[in-house]
Amino acid sequence: MQHTVVERELELNLVLSPERTIPVPARLMYRTNDPYAVHMTFHIGTDYPVNWTFARELLIDGVFRPCGHGDVRIWPTKVDGRSVVCVALTSPEGDALLEASSPIVSAWLGRTLAMVPPGTEGGQLGLDDALAELLATSQDGES
């Protein structure tokens, strides 16, 4: 089974205070062989990028309404008249609030949904084929 990657480079704003943000280069990545997850990589001026992985469904929902709890929370809002998606991340190293352009995130999500529509993620994992093979093998061995 062929697997596809849907990537998008974008610039996020790291919110330092209500009046101050700094741009952060980032990458959104979706892999059809990991169909339930999205991956965000941030380049924050350190030797190593920061990687976060969370449910694609969480990002889809967060474009439209506040969702998530714990380590990842996402909600839509307006900043200076622009539609943005806020992503709040919490880790032992600290908290971060990032803003991403809603049209850019929505367009990228649309590409992932065209590749793997909601509800078809399980078919991407090849579990049905593996299970059928396993059952065929076990039945061959029965006497």
Side-chain angles (χ1 to χ4, degrees):
M1 177 180 255
Q2 170 123 6
H3 294 291
T4 304
V5 176
V6 180
E7 289 184 291
R8 173 65 202 240
E9 298 283 336
L10 72 160
E11 188 172 272
L12 304 175
N13 285 321
L14 175 62
V15 179
L16 302 177
S17 72
E19 309 80 37
R20 185 156 178 250
T21 63
I22 58 170
V24 176
R27 173 183 293 133
L28 287 170
M29 184 171 28
Y30 178 78
R31 297 189 298 258
T32 58
N33 65 341
D34 189 8
Y36 293 101
V38 294
H39 307 273
M40 293 181 102
T41 302
F42 311 102
H43 304 279
I44 54 172
T46 59
D47 289 340
Y48 301 99
V50 175
N51 297 297
W52 279 78
T53 300
F54 51 90
R56 176 174 73 158
E57 187 175 346
L58 183 64
L59 187 56
I60 292 167
D61 289 348
V63 168
F64 299 103
R65 66 189 149 276
C67 64
H69 56 279
D71 295 347
V72 181
R73 295 182 332 269
I74 302 173
W75 65 93
T77 193
K78 296 258 188 206
V79 174
D80 299 328
R82 297 177 299 113
S83 293
V84 299
V85 177
C86 292
V87 180
L89 304 172
T90 301
S91 75
E93 290 79 39
D95 300 336
L97 176 57
L98 298 145
E99 296 170 347
S101 162
S102 287
I104 290 173
V105 171
S106 295
W108 177 79
L109 279 170
R111 290 173 50 211
T112 76
L113 293 169
M115 288 284 176
V116 181
T120 67
E121 294 92 348
Q124 295 294 316
L125 299 174
L127 295 178
D128 293 339
D129 296 339
L131 184 59
E133 187 177 320
L134 181 65
L135 291 174
T137 304
S138 69
Q139 289 174 352
D140 290 345
E142 289 180 10
S143 23

